[in-house]
Amino acid sequence: EADIYQTPRYLVIGTGKKITLECSQTMGHDKMYWYQQDPGMELHLIHYSYGVNSTEKGDLSSESTVSRIRTEHFPLTLESARPSHTSQYLCASSESETGVLDEQYFGPGTRLTVT
Amino acid sequence: KNQVEQSPQSLIILEGKNCTLQCNYTVSPFSNLRWYKQDTGRGPVSLTIMTFSENTKSNGRYTATLDADTKQSSLHITASQLSDSASYICVVSDRGSTLGRLYFGRGTQLTVWP
């Protein structure tokens, strides 16, 4: 089992609240990712980072923001939550130098419900 | 358009039986293909990764095959167990960018009944 952690595992919050989803890994990986997954649907990349102070938007447009101040920590923030943000959010990490394989290790996910 | 299609969408089998899940992709250029197992409420866990030159890879009771010419892959599960109940996701990586982007299928939901 990979050493990548997400908190909280479940969150129910009202519209307009600011939330931060935490993700941390103890493997020393440079690359980290945030995915969004709705039930029965594929994962969509919303943010990624190559290392400290590096963040990029992914393929799926998202109103969330991320930061990478420390290698092991990659939090995701929603300034004003809306019901459309209800989803499962998965964090992942991978080594920076693994050739073509670049295996990603996933955290357990945060199930977010905005009422 | 780069896509990954999986079939069937869902599958129910009895414990001890074998099953095969299918994955067709149109991703180009191709780097590697992965199969992940995702338990309900958990993150995906890697089962196998295959590059262009590999046509079969096993991980215990899981055997993946890859035909890069027809752009098809399959995941065969032997002697299924109740713990095999999960979503199985096919993921294809390209080399069209420095990120090595991953394309995810929607998964096959497998249920194993006692």
Side-chain angles (χ1 to χ4, degrees):
Chain A
E1 185 123 350
D3 296 320
I4 180 164
Y5 310 97
Q6 291 185 243
T7 58
R9 292 293 315 281
Y10 304 93
L11 179 62
V12 180
I13 201 163
T15 298
K17 300 292 185 182
K18 177 180 178 179
I19 60 171
T20 296
L21 307 184
E22 302 289 347
C23 175
S24 60
Q25 49 95 6
T26 58
M27 298 172 283
H29 289 169
D30 286 327
K31 293 181 180 176
M32 296 190 74
Y33 316 81
W34 275 104
Y35 292 90
Q36 187 173 338
Q37 183 183 30
D38 293 320
M41 303 295 287
E42 63 267 46
L43 278 72
H44 290 284
L45 182 67
I46 52 176
H47 297 283
Y48 62 94
S49 168
Y50 283 135
V52 171
N53 295 324
S54 156
T55 61
E56 301 287 345
K57 289 189 179 295
D59 307 309
L60 182 66
S61 176
S62 173
E63 294 166 345
S64 58
T65 59
V66 292
S67 62
R68 191 87 183 277
I69 299 174
R70 303 198 314 266
T71 298
E72 64 272 19
H73 196 213
F74 192 39
L76 180 145
T77 298
L78 275 166
E79 290 293 333
S80 179
R82 294 208 300 268
S84 60
H85 296 139
T86 295
S87 189
Q88 170 143 333
Y89 293 84
L90 290 161
C91 181
S93 71
S94 66
E95 297 182 33
S96 60
E97 298 295 336
T98 55
V100 302
L101 296 183
D102 198 22
E103 180 167 359
Q104 294 190 16
Y105 297 90
F106 286 84
T110 293
R111 168 69 64 185
L112 172 66
T113 302
V114 183
T115 61
Chain B
K1 181 179 180 183
N2 289 323
Q3 286 185 312
V4 178
E5 301 286 345
Q6 292 188 244
S7 62
Q9 184 175 359
S10 62
L11 181 63
I12 299 174
I13 62 173
L14 295 177
E15 187 178 13
K17 297 297 185 181
N18 304 335
C19 67
T20 300
L21 314 180
Q22 300 291 343
C23 173
N24 296 336
Y25 63 92
T26 59
V27 177
S28 180
F30 173 85
S31 174
N32 60 77
L33 185 145
R34 312 140 188 245
W35 283 94
Y36 283 89
K37 178 187 179 186
Q38 185 176 22
D39 292 314
T40 301
R42 307 288 299 180
V45 175
S46 178
L47 295 175
T48 63
I49 301 178
M50 289 182 291
T51 60
F52 183 88
S53 60
E54 298 173 291
N55 55 27
T56 186
K57 183 165 280 190
S58 293
N59 178 1
R61 294 180 296 103
Y62 301 102
T63 299
T65 64
L66 172 65
D67 185 335
D69 291 331
T70 62
K71 298 187 176 181
Q72 295 178 327
S73 176
S74 65
L75 179 69
H76 186 74
I77 304 175
T78 303
S80 61
Q81 300 175 358
L82 298 180
S83 59
D84 292 333
S85 295
S87 178
Y88 291 84
I89 303 173
C90 177
V91 184
V92 179
S93 176
D94 70 7
R95 300 194 71 177
S97 69
T98 56
L99 179 62
R101 189 201 157 155
L102 300 183
Y103 295 85
F104 290 81
R106 294 186 176 183
T108 291
Q109 184 65 48
L110 175 66
T111 303
V112 181
W113 283 2

